[in-house]
Amino acid sequence: MTQPEETPVSFIPPNFIEKGKILNGTFDIRNAIESIVLSLAIGIPVFHLPLSLTARIIILCMTALPAAMVALIGIGGESITAFLMNALRFVVNRRVIWRSDSLPEGKPRRKPRSKEPKTKKHRKAEKMAEPSKVMASAPPQSEPDAPAPPKSKKKNTGSLIPPPSGASKNRQRKISVI
């Protein structure tokens, strides 16, 4: 009879992942250094405040201690400086990306170009034909050299709601107040 193969058992030592960590692999060295720097940056100005020793210790416990703990643990698996740099990079480079099949309201949808571009010969022919079309549709002026009246720069402030249909224009609406 054949015996099944036995796989060799290997033990993983307890210090396997402790490279770059302190206190038996609890904290990263980078996070510990940032924690010390941040607590000193907050602690030194607090010690120079003209308050009693008890008040200064309470202020340190309320400011430097929580900041040092957050820096020691990190945010989202990153150190504080790495997190802040990623956040700053996001704010500077953020973009709004839309799917091609749905655009938000207010954005005009670009129609894909289905026609071939016109040649120079066709463009010249259209330019020559346009003035005659415009002149034929324009009302006759009393003086041909008279300047055109200035266009009004007043914006259309009309309602965005479409007007009612012709049948309901004259009908008054009844409004009941409860």
Side-chain angles (χ1 to χ4, degrees):
M1 296 203 181
T2 61
Q3 300 236 347
E5 287 186 34
E6 291 185 27
T7 57
V9 177
S10 61
F11 293 101
I12 300 173
N15 62 354
F16 174 65
I17 308 179
E18 289 184 9
K19 187 175 182 182
K21 302 219 179 223
I22 60 169
L23 295 177
N24 293 330
T26 307
F27 301 113
D28 290 337
I29 293 175
R30 179 176 179 171
N31 289 358
I33 293 171
E34 288 179 4
S35 175
I36 292 169
V37 169
L38 185 63
S39 61
L40 287 176
I42 295 173
I44 290 174
V46 169
F47 271 121
H48 292 299
L49 291 175
L51 300 172
S52 67
L53 180 64
T54 308
R56 288 184 281 187
I57 291 173
I58 291 173
I59 292 172
L60 281 176
C61 288
M62 294 294 162
T63 57
L65 185 64
M69 293 303 294
V70 169
L72 195 59
I73 295 168
I75 298 176
E78 298 178 325
S79 65
I80 294 292
T81 54
F83 174 78
L84 291 176
M85 291 304 293
N86 286 336
L88 181 67
R89 193 176 304 127
F90 168 75
V91 168
V92 169
N93 297 326
R94 66 181 162 190
R95 302 283 185 268
V96 177
I97 300 174
W98 303 102
R99 290 188 349 217
S100 61
D101 61 337
S102 67
L103 289 175
E105 291 182 25
K107 294 266 185 179
R109 184 175 286 225
R110 254 190 349 173
K111 295 179 182 176
R113 189 173 191 153
S114 60
K115 296 180 181 179
E116 292 294 322
K118 296 180 180 179
T119 61
K120 289 183 181 178
K121 186 177 181 182
H122 286 91
R123 278 189 234 143
K124 284 183 181 178
E126 283 183 357
K127 284 182 182 177
M128 297 299 261
E130 284 179 10
S132 62
K133 288 181 186 177
V134 172
M135 293 303 275
S137 63
Q141 294 181 353
S142 59
E143 294 181 37
D145 294 335
K151 292 185 179 180
S152 173
K153 292 185 181 180
K154 185 179 173 184
K155 291 185 177 181
N156 185 5
T157 58
S159 173
L160 297 175
I161 301 171
S165 63
S168 62
K169 263 187 186 176
N170 298 331
R171 183 176 56 158
Q172 292 185 0
R173 298 180 188 193
K174 293 181 181 179
I175 300 173
S176 60
V177 179
I178 297 175

